[in-house]
């Protein structure tokens, strides 16, 4: 059986820095300060301002998307229809060739 060769971990080359020593810091209790005055809560979602210009841009963008998607779908349908018609024409031609060949014999 074939045994896979497992690569070995290469040893580091160049300058290697020693690990840094972290010294713990002492926790000093401090005087508790009172919380600041309460502020009104911020709304959870931003308010969207619709101006006539943005509405017009949204309508124009939506219309463009609908037109592009419609053009793509119509072109795909047209491609399928053309393929179907060409297959039908080939079938009729083959049928007539086979029928004329059997009549000659």
């Amino acid at each position: 059986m074939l045994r896979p060769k497992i690569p070995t971990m290469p040893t580091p080359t160049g300058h290697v820095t020693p690990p840094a020593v972290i010294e713990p810091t002492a926790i000093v209790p401090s005087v508790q300060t009172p919380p600041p005055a309460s502020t009104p809560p911020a709304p959870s979602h931003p308010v969207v301002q619709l101006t006539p210009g943005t509405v017009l841009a949204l309508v124009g963008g939506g219309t463009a998307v609908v037109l592009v998607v419609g053009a793509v779908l119509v072109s795909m349908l047209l491609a399928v229809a053309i393929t179907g018609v060409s297959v039908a024409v080939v079938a009729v031609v083959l049928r007539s060739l086979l029928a004329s060949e059997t009549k000659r014999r």
Side-chain angles (χ1 to χ4, degrees), residues 42-76:
S44 60
H45 55 83
V47 178
V48 177
Q49 297 289 333
L50 291 178
T51 62
T54 57
V55 170
L56 188 62
L58 287 174
V59 169
T63 303
V65 167
V66 168
L67 289 177
V68 168
V69 169
V72 168
L73 292 177
V74 167
S75 64
M76 289 173 61

Side-chain angles (χ1 to χ4, degrees), residues 16-35:
V16 179
T17 58
V21 178
I22 300 174
E23 296 181 11
T25 57
I27 298 174
V28 178
S30 64
V31 178
Q32 293 289 334
T33 58

Side-chain angles (χ1 to χ4, degrees), residues 93-103:
V93 169
L94 285 175
R95 182 178 175 193
S96 67
L97 286 175
L98 292 174
S100 66
E101 186 176 316
T102 55
K103 286 183 182 179

